[in-house]
Amino acid sequence: MRADLHTHTVYSDGELIPAELVRRAMVLGHDVIAITDHVDMTNVEFVASNVAKAVELVEDYIKVIPGVEITHVPPSKIDKVARMARKHGAEWVVVHGETVTEPVAPGTNRASAENPEIDILAHPGFITIEEAQIASDNGVILEVTGRMGHNITNGHVVNVARQVGASMVVDSDTHAPENLMTEEAALTVALGAGMTVEEAEKALHVTPYEAIRHIA
C-alpha cells in the first residue's frame, strides 16, 4: 500500500476537490493521504478548517490526514503559522523547503528543521548537513519528491539524509490527477534518487506510517 503525505486540492493550487483526490488515490492503491494545501498567515484558518472536513471521507475511502504546507512564509514567521494551523485543525504540517526552482527565503530549511512541530520539510533543495542533522534531531522528515523541477536535487537530499541518519519519505506533491504516484512510481523515484532498496522500503513503508501513528 502507499502513503502520500504531501498533496494539494482546489483549496490552494490543486485541480481536484478533496473527495476526488482521495478517491483517485484510493484507486491507485493508497491507504493514506495527507491533504496539505499551501498556506501563509492570511489563509491558514480557512484552509486548515476546511481541509479538516475531508476526514469524513475516511468512512468510505481511505485514511485522510488534514494538513497544510506553509509556503514562502518568512522564516521568522514559520513557527507562528504552524501554531495557527494546528489550532484550526491541521494534524500534519509540511513546510515548502528551499527548492532550487522557486525563490523561497534563505533560512527556511533551518527554521523548519529547528521546529519539532514541523512534520515534513518538503523538497529542501541543497539542504546542508548541519540543517539535516538538526532536522533529524527534531524528528523533522526530509522529503524526496516526485514533483517535476523540485526533484532535481533528490539525489543530494538522499545523500545528506543518509550521512546524518535523517528520516525520509517519498511524496508526490500532487497538484493534478496525473501527479499521483503508484507504488511502482514512488519506488522508481526513490531508487532514482540513489536510495538503496532497504532505504526505499523504509521511506515508503515504515517512516510514513510511524510518523502518523498518533493521528486517529
Side-chain angles (χ1 to χ4, degrees):
M1 301 299 286
R2 168 132 175 81
D4 192 340
L5 302 179
H6 180 183
T7 68
H8 301 279
T9 73
V10 294
Y11 282 120
S12 58
D13 58 347
E15 295 182 6
L16 305 176
I17 61 172
E20 184 173 358
L21 173 66
V22 174
R23 176 60 186 168
R24 285 177 178 272
M26 178 182 178
V27 170
L28 289 178
H30 295 56
D31 61 348
V32 179
I33 189 167
I35 300 175
T36 55
D37 278 301
H38 297 287
V39 298
D40 61 13
M41 58 285 296
T42 68
N43 71 335
V44 62
E45 178 177 357
F46 172 82
V47 170
S49 61
N50 279 288
V51 168
K53 298 172 185 176
V55 172
E56 185 177 344
L57 294 166
V58 173
E59 299 170 7
D60 301 283
Y61 291 163
I62 58 177
K63 184 179 181 71
V64 179
I65 301 173
V68 297
E69 182 183 11
I70 299 172
T71 305
H72 286 277
V73 168
S76 65
K77 302 292 192 299
I78 288 174
D79 287 0
K80 174 183 178 180
V81 178
R83 290 194 301 270
M84 292 172 67
R86 298 281 187 189
K87 175 182 177 181
H88 294 296
E91 297 188 63
W92 193 251
V93 178
V94 177
V95 174
H96 190 296
E98 293 176 47
T99 171
V100 296
T101 61
E102 293 184 26
V104 175
T108 295
N109 284 352
R110 187 179 187 94
S112 304
E114 290 176 341
N115 188 348
E117 283 299 305
I118 305 305
D119 295 297
I120 290 178
L121 177 54
H123 39 66
F126 289 118
I127 186 171
T128 66
I129 291 179
E130 181 183 7
E131 291 164 347
Q133 183 65 69
I134 295 169
S136 181
D137 293 343
N138 286 315
V140 179
I141 303 167
L142 303 184
E143 179 186 81
V144 174
T145 181
R147 182 75 171 164
M148 191 65 67
H150 296 338
N151 61 6
I152 292 172
T153 53
N154 274 350
H156 171 78
V157 173
V158 168
N159 181 51
V160 170
R162 180 186 290 134
Q163 291 185 60
V164 301
S167 295
M168 294 180 281
V169 291
V170 180
D171 291 328
S172 68
D173 192 2
T174 285
H175 288 70
E178 60 269 21
N179 299 150
L180 286 166
M181 295 192 296
T182 63
E183 178 79 7
E184 181 180 9
L187 179 60
T188 297
V189 169
L191 297 178
M195 287 189 192
T196 64
V197 172
E198 292 75 17
E199 288 171 334
E201 172 66 22
K202 184 175 181 181
L204 268 64
H205 300 130
V206 179
T207 299
Y209 292 95
E210 288 182 343
I212 63 171
R213 62 187 173 188
H214 66 285
I215 301 175

